[in-house]
Amino acid sequence: MAEMPAPNGTGRGVIVRAERIGKTYGERVVTEVLKGIDFELKQGEFCALTGPSGSGKTTFLNLVGLLDQPTNGRILIDGQDTGALSDAARTDLRGTRLGFVFQFHHLLPAFTALENVMMPLLAQHGRPAAWMREKAAALLDEVGLSERARYRVTDLSGGQQQRVAVARALVADPMLVLADEPTGNLDTETSSQVMELLRDSNRHRGTAFLIVTHDEGISSQCPRVIHMVDGRVDWERNDSPT
Ligand SMILES: Nc1ncnc2c1ncn2[C@@H]1O[C@H](COP(=O)(O)OP(=O)(O)O)[C@@H](O)[C@H]1O
Ligand SMILES: [Mg+2]
């Protein structure tokens, strides 16, 4: 599928804008984890976030994902200044615009693959409905797991579990998926399959991705890479089409 043209023809729209983001932890002993990060992500971008352990990647991702709030600066998602929103509005924005994939899939072990994929829709709309089941089934098909829909996630392999997690992240049609070391727990071959799946979703659905990885084999294949060191952006490479 072709990339969606921006409505005004001036290139793709900005979906995330972070301005001078700072984050400190602690009160008596203050640790400055993020030291003024400026960042912009456009519709449909596929961007890796790299850097040594402790450089602030997860902290930054959690801020963009509205799971935490910055100490300084502001974050705009889809044009909305998220610092000005109520908790309910932030939760709603997170549920409708963002999807998440974590290193350890965070699936609910007592439930089937299908039920896990349905979960974000259920959380958003309250009660189960037939369309949610259909939507979840379609997503499991998309990630190549239709025959495993009724399996408990504990009966699936690590790679399959991560595919379920990807389907779950996409089920509510987010504009952006945030992934924190999504292949950190997988062998090389399974890692590249999961990465391919993310890239396919990016190409076919136009979903933007921001992916934390310390695997250079993975980041080298991403059109855009942001490298963090010590709470700052150290360098950036961007070969995305504009
Ligand atoms: N809740 C917290 N309280 C105190 N320090 C934290 C907290 N979360 C992260 N840190 C510190 O912030 C730094 C960056 O952590 P993190 O964002 O997890 O880095 P990365 O994901 O790049 O490994 C680390 O030094 C870590 O110890
Ligand atoms: Mg981390």
Side-chain angles (χ1 to χ4, degrees):
M1 200 171 90
E3 258 151 10
M4 296 211 309
N8 56 10
T10 56
R12 292 188 277 179
V14 173
I15 56 176
V16 177
R17 198 179 149 79
E19 298 173 348
R20 310 297 304 154
I21 293 305
K23 181 71 180 176
T24 58
Y25 287 113
E27 282 171 16
R28 238 160 30 89
V29 181
V30 174
T31 315
E32 195 180 8
V33 173
L34 298 180
K35 302 170 179 171
I37 296 197
D38 289 305
F39 171 72
E40 236 181 42
L41 192 79
K42 292 181 180 158
Q43 224 170 25
E45 277 199 277
F46 195 84
C47 180
L49 187 58
T50 61
S53 178
S55 57
K57 305 180 298 295
T58 294
T59 302
F60 182 65
L61 204 76
N62 289 346
L63 293 175
V64 172
L66 308 179
L67 298 167
D68 195 6
Q69 303 224 47
T71 315
N72 295 297
R74 54 179 205 153
I75 294 177
L76 291 91
I77 305 279
D78 206 17
Q80 297 187 66
D81 182 351
T82 59
L85 298 175
S86 66
D87 282 351
R90 285 159 57 84
T91 302
D92 186 62
L93 192 62
R94 196 188 309 129
T96 57
R97 302 284 205 284
L98 306 177
F100 296 87
V101 181
F102 302 95
Q103 175 173 0
F104 301 101
H105 52 73
H106 292 227
L107 299 171
L108 300 171
F111 293 87
T112 65
L114 189 78
E115 288 163 342
N116 269 279
V117 176
M118 278 175 70
M119 221 47 92
L121 300 175
L122 207 52
Q124 216 175 300
H125 299 275
R127 46 175 54 223
W131 69 267
M132 296 179 189
R133 204 161 267 281
E134 284 156 23
K135 185 106 197 246
L139 258 303
L140 279 175
D141 190 32
E142 209 170 303
V143 302
L145 282 181
S146 38
E147 301 98 85
R148 297 282 188 275
R150 315 232 157 244
Y151 281 51
R152 282 192 184 216
V153 291
T154 44
D155 293 329
L156 301 178
S157 71
Q160 290 169 338
Q161 290 175 340
Q162 205 53 313
R163 284 173 177 269
V164 174
V166 172
R168 180 185 56 181
L170 292 168
V171 76
D173 296 318
M175 60 177 192
L176 168 64
V177 169
L178 300 163
D180 197 351
E181 311 263 9
T183 64
N185 200 29
L186 304 174
D187 62 64
T188 312
E189 161 110 37
T190 314
S191 288
S192 60
Q193 287 168 0
V194 168
M195 281 309 296
E196 222 164 279
L197 178 62
L198 299 182
R199 194 74 172 109
D200 281 350
S201 308
N202 168 252
R203 290 207 179 94
H204 296 129
R205 304 175 146 260
T207 313
F209 282 82
L210 181 59
I211 303 170
V212 172
T213 180
H214 57 237
D215 184 335
E216 272 193 41
I218 287 174
S219 58
S220 66
Q221 291 171 41
C222 294
R224 183 176 175 196
V225 181
I226 292 172
H227 188 76
M228 282 176 63
V229 175
D230 200 17
R232 290 194 175 87
V233 175
D234 188 44
W235 55 261
E236 178 175 350
R237 167 176 70 69
N238 194 349
D239 305 323
S240 309
T242 45

